[in-house]
Amino acid sequence: MEVERIQALASVGLDTLPAQFVRPSHEQPENSPAVEGVFVPVISLSQPHHALIREIHEACRDWGFFLVTDHGIPLELTGQLQEVGREFFRLPQEEKEKYANDPSRKNFEGYGTKMTKNPDEKVEWVDYFFHFMHPSGKVRHEIWPRHPPSYREVTEEYNKEILKVTEVLLELISEGLGLEKNVLKASLGGDQMELEMKINLYPPCPQPQLALGVEPHTDMSALTILVPNDVPGLQVWKDGNWFAADYLPNALFCHIGDQIEVLSNGKYKSVLHRSLVNKEKTRMSWAVFCVPPQEALIGPLPELINDQNPAKYSTKMYAEFRHRKLNKLPQ
Ligand code: OGA
Ligand code: NI
């Protein structure tokens, strides 16, 4: 099937944004501006443990979102990850199309552009590359970019590093919930817990004030850890307002996703977020989604429910949650 890629569309040098990208007025960035002068929480991992747990707890409770610094991932490695991703998107269009995914046939891995099922829905100004990264049994290296040749080595190295940080964060979040530190990872499948990579490419947009890169959504992951390039755009929703999560060099942008909201019985909220696009610059981001295996049963943790705090969410297999979310069915 022929899919119009945003990168190809942008390269034509349009003056006006095609109608399918024009958001309804209330969603347009200029009609829903972010609050100025407030910075999202920034948390250093190299601080005393009790202070760290408190900061994580407060950020998860109040924002569902925070930036992490002093995480130990070498700046050079993140730079290499970004370079190999940029290289892929620099390939000629016909080369990239060899990796095209097909969500309508449940082939989610590969090169994609979101298409809408309903013609009234608006399209997002983004192309992406999505693939599994961990555990090794789920990884299909044959569908990863073959160009540049270092893509695999760099991404595998990044996977090792981001897995360590993910595990540390899950321990800290567990402790913030007053649980033993291994509880969240164990609930997410233990060694079967999965990491997925999504590289987002937001080309320059002729009328960025009318469009969105990704529309407001929560991630269905447990936790998402994202690194952007230096073009701002990510915004998070808190108490009825948007807040810009501005670029901070070498910081990890951490989102609480739907699975932690469910496991925590709503103590921690899955953060609503969106991304804006830019008139001159290409924005990119590398999102790592930490998700349970499809067959994992996810529901409020027994430790967190009692007569005063009954379960607010049903327990179901992650596959079922995902099916409902993708098809916009109630959970
Ligand atoms: C996503 C997402 C935001 C960004 O891919 O789920 O929210 O900053 N991306 O690219
Ligand atoms: Ni997201």
Side-chain angles (χ1 to χ4, degrees), residues 43-92:
I43 302 179
S44 165
L45 289 190
S46 69
Q47 60 177 309
H49 195 66
H50 63 279
L52 178 54
I53 290 177
R54 184 168 41 77
E55 287 193 8
I56 296 262
H57 166 68
E58 290 173 359
C60 291
R61 181 194 61 196
D62 299 342
W63 290 82
F65 183 83
F66 52 92
L67 269 51
V68 160
T69 60
D70 304 308
H71 45 71
I73 302 183
L75 185 57
E76 194 195 349
L77 178 60
T78 309
Q80 288 171 339
L81 178 81
Q82 297 189 328
E83 186 50 32
V84 295
R86 275 195 297 271
E87 281 269 326
F88 171 78
F89 282 100
R90 274 189 211 122
L91 286 173

Side-chain angles (χ1 to χ4, degrees), residues 217 219 273 289:
H217 68 284
D219 290 349
H273 55 285
F289 301 109

Side-chain angles (χ1 to χ4, degrees), residues 125 202-208 231-232 276-283:
W125 192 262
Y202 305 96
C205 177
Q207 293 181 292
V231 180
L276 311 192
V277 290
N278 190 279
K279 191 164 170 66
E280 276 89 34
K281 294 182 180 161
T282 297
R283 177 163 190 273

Side-chain angles (χ1 to χ4, degrees), residues 198 200 202 214 217 219 226 234 255 273 275 283 285 287 289:
K198 183 175 172 227
N200 291 304
Y202 305 96
V214 289
H217 68 284
D219 290 349
L226 176 146
L234 179 62
H255 308 58
H273 55 285
S275 67
R283 177 163 190 273
S285 68
F289 301 109

